Amino acid sequence: MSEPAKRAELGDAQHLEVLGYQDSFNRSMSLWANFALGFTYLSPLVGVYSLFALALTVGGPPSIWWIVIVGAGQLLVSLVFGEVVSQYPIHGGIYPWARRLWGRRYAWMAAWVYIWAMIVTITAVAEYGSGFASSLFGLEHTADTTLWLTLGLLLVALLINLSGTKWLARIARIGLAAELVGVIGLGLYLLIFQRKQEFSVFFDTMGVEGDGSYLTAFVGAALAGLFLFYGFEACGDVAEEVENPARRIPRAMQLTILVGGVSALFSFAGYVLAAPDLRAIVAGEDADPIPAILESTLGPVGAKLFLVVAITAFLSCVLSLQAAASRLLFSFARDGMLPGHRWLSKVTEGSKVPANALIVACTVPAIIAVLVWLNADLLYPVTAFAVLGIYVAFQMVVLASLRQRIKGWKPAGPFSLGRWGLLVNIIALAYGVFAMILLATPGTSGDPVTDWIVLIGLGIVLGTGLVYLFVARPDRQSDAPAGDAIEVADRLRAHGTRAVPAAAATAAAAADEPVA
């Protein structure tokens, strides 16, 4: 679908100059390291493990198809993002994209929602990872143990991030390997050697619909896919630390979705087919079935080895989340849009990382973890809006991109959808609205707080953001360029973009080398 027939001749530093910035980071991240960062953020192992029991209880084995549905929708979103980051390969992702496509106030709200969604996600992933760590070390799973292990994961990730981009890339690659072993390797093993169910089970509802329609039950299981497929945008959050980002980051985003989707399918299918008592899981009699499945198929030693792999994946996921959140904070602060922006926008001399922003991306999740320790019932309320918040921020960029296209914008980066761009943009927006409706639909438990908690959480974040925006007017504190997509596209073309033969461009893309 992409048309790599146009290639920006500008070097990375020159491209940044056209966008109004100086090249101040070490560009030590390769295509595969950038892909590994996005993949470990997306983390199919974390997503599948967290929602496996819920998906089967609500939607039965056919809930696996949400992985396919949501993966296809998010792939369209990644194509839209690819065109945007190819023109704007700058730190921060969602925030600078929304600002350059629409305006400062619009971008401020998109980034405010996205920052809080990411910070809460960091806390949640560290909390879930602490359970694996306590099982591995044979510790009793108490509130105190959970707190200390959660804080330990956050601190280890911070120290690795402070060491520099090279260590971030190394650990991301290790996390990628752990994820692939933990989801694809284990999934294939379960599918081939431990299968206890027929493949037809993925079309068997097992009675979860009761006396009603199965469509209602299937829609209720949508979270199985919606929770899984975000994280690919993190590839763009570190754009100024990637060589040739305008071409590599769109490819890394698409690889993250495709490989992540295949990995999740293998993992989910493997657990379903290897379950010794699948009906008990679907009936809700086993709230945490994966350990039992692993114990019965791998034995005690194999289950312990899997825990090591899982903890590695969780650590890498926290690491990637911290890195992405810190770059967004840095980008926000660099434009003077946050309190303490001078402190937050500092880059260390040696390791060339936004250290202060990293400290914030560790400290705030740690504070939330302490609040959860004081009241365990807070974990669900503080995380409930995270997925919806991520989708809201995503679709603000997709909507801004569509608005610019209608005004005449033709993306000028080396990655382009060409004449398919408008259609893909429209379908991606329609998918996003559909996903947000699914996420925001109130529950039916009868408890107003429980049923409306997702919208309550999002409403609090949006409300505080709007109050700060109109009282403090951070949009007036910055003279950073905004709403200039058409103008920048013209400038980039004027600085040397030229057409090249399609065959030459395709060969160059395959070799990951610039077109001569």
Side-chain angles (χ1 to χ4, degrees):
M1 188 174 291
S2 63
E3 295 182 358
K6 293 183 178 179
R7 168 72 175 124
E9 299 273 327
L10 296 175
D12 296 338
Q14 289 75 24
H15 195 151
L16 270 185
E17 279 186 32
V18 173
L19 301 178
Y21 297 108
Q22 296 299 314
D23 203 358
S24 56
F25 289 88
N26 292 326
R27 293 190 179 273
S28 56
M29 191 170 281
S30 66
L31 168 66
W32 293 109
N34 190 240
F35 158 63
L37 177 70
F39 187 85
T40 52
Y41 180 165
L42 182 141
S43 190
L45 186 150
V46 173
V48 170
Y49 190 96
S50 300
L51 293 173
F52 180 75
L54 175 66
L56 288 181
T57 302
V58 175
S63 57
I64 192 175
W65 300 112
W66 276 112
I67 296 175
V68 179
I69 295 169
V70 177
Q74 290 293 73
L75 182 61
L76 295 176
V77 175
S78 76
L79 291 173
V80 175
F81 282 12
E83 284 196 306
V84 178
V85 74
S86 192
Q87 176 165 315
Y88 293 108
I90 48 181
H91 263 359
I94 297 292
Y95 160 65
W97 300 343
R99 192 189 76 240
R100 307 301 283 260
L101 290 170
W102 196 303
R104 295 187 186 93
R105 280 181 288 182
Y106 184 86
W108 197 93
M109 284 305 302
W112 179 254
V113 173
Y114 187 56
I115 284 171
W116 280 106
M118 289 181 73
I119 284 174
V120 169
T121 303
I122 292 171
T123 307
V125 172
E127 290 273 350
Y128 295 138
S130 68
F132 282 95
S134 61
S135 297
L136 177 64
F137 298 120
L139 301 174
E140 186 179 355
H141 199 196
T142 64
D144 290 348
T145 302
T146 298
L147 174 63
W148 289 112
L149 290 174
T150 298
L151 295 178
L153 279 171
L154 292 171
L155 181 60
V156 170
L158 173 64
L159 294 175
I160 294 171
N161 266 314
L162 288 173
S163 66
T165 306
K166 286 186 178 180
W167 271 105
L168 169 63
R170 286 171 186 154
I171 302 300
R173 286 193 292 267
I174 293 172
L176 171 62
E179 286 273 358
L180 294 178
V181 170
V183 291
I184 293 184
L186 180 60
L188 283 173
Y189 172 76
L190 296 177
L191 285 170
I192 296 171
F193 299 108
Q194 298 292 334
R195 186 161 61 89
K196 298 177 177 64
Q197 317 290 334
E198 296 298 326
F199 285 101
S200 59
V201 75
F202 295 115
F203 299 94
D204 184 355
T205 68
M206 292 191 167
V208 294
E209 68 274 21
D211 296 329
S213 167
Y214 176 69
L215 180 61
T216 303
F218 183 67
V219 170
L223 194 61
L226 294 170
F227 180 74
L228 178 66
F229 283 101
Y230 61 88
F232 62 89
E233 78 285 357
C235 298
D237 289 340
V238 294
E240 293 174 45
E241 294 164 76
V242 179
E243 289 184 71
N244 194 6
R247 183 152 59 93
R248 286 179 170 174
I249 291 175
R251 295 170 62 192
M253 287 181 175
Q254 294 152 36
L255 279 172
T256 297
I257 293 290
L258 294 171
V259 179
V262 171
S263 301
L265 281 172
F266 274 125
S267 182
F268 195 101
Y271 288 132
V272 169
L273 296 176
D277 192 353
L278 183 60
R279 290 195 176 274
I281 300 172
V282 174
E285 298 171 9
D286 188 351
D288 190 16
I290 290 181
I293 295 172
L294 294 174
E295 189 80 23
S296 67
T297 55
L298 302 178
V301 175
K304 286 287 187 183
L305 290 174
F306 175 78
L307 287 174
V308 174
V309 171
I311 291 169
T312 303
F314 271 93
L315 175 61
S316 185
C317 185
V318 173
L319 185 75
S320 300
L321 281 162
Q322 275 188 4
S326 68
R327 272 57 173 189
L328 175 57
L329 285 168
F330 165 81
S331 179
F332 219 17
R334 178 171 60 179
D335 292 341
M337 301 280 268
L338 281 176
H341 60 88
R342 290 187 179 86
W343 182 77
L344 283 169
S345 61
K346 287 183 178 178
V347 177
T348 57
E349 289 294 331
S351 55
K352 295 289 185 182
V353 295
N356 296 334
L358 276 166
I359 291 170
V360 171
C362 177
T363 304
V364 178
I367 293 171
I368 297 174
V370 172
L371 294 176
V372 171
W373 171 68
L374 293 172
N375 182 359
D377 293 335
L378 286 176
L379 181 59
Y380 180 72
V382 299
T383 57
F385 88 96
V387 179
L388 179 58
I390 293 285
Y391 276 77
V392 167
F394 277 20
Q395 292 308 309
M396 288 183 74
V397 174
V398 175
L399 176 62
S401 178
L402 180 59
R403 174 176 175 266
Q404 284 292 340
R405 289 181 195 278
I406 293 172
K407 293 173 67 175
W409 176 51
K410 295 181 180 179
F415 176 83
S416 172
L417 298 174
R419 60 180 176 273
W420 293 98
L422 179 62
L423 178 61
V424 170
N425 207 149
I426 292 172
I427 298 174
L429 182 62
Y431 157 76
V433 172
F434 167 69
M436 288 188 291
I437 291 172
L438 291 180
L439 288 165
T441 301
T444 56
S445 70
D447 181 347
V449 175
T450 300
D451 292 341
W452 291 84
I453 193 64
V454 173
L455 287 175
I456 290 171
L458 183 63
I460 291 172
V461 171
L462 287 174
T464 55
L466 285 170
V467 168
Y468 182 82
L469 177 61
F470 287 104
V471 171
R473 296 311 303 262
D475 54 301
R476 294 179 177 176
Q477 308 302 315
S478 172
D479 58 357
D484 60 357
I486 295 174
E487 177 188 345
V488 167
D490 291 340
R491 287 208 306 266
L492 286 172
R493 291 189 178 95
H495 275 75
T497 301
R498 63 180 175 83
V500 297
T506 302
D512 198 29
E513 293 294 337
V515 175

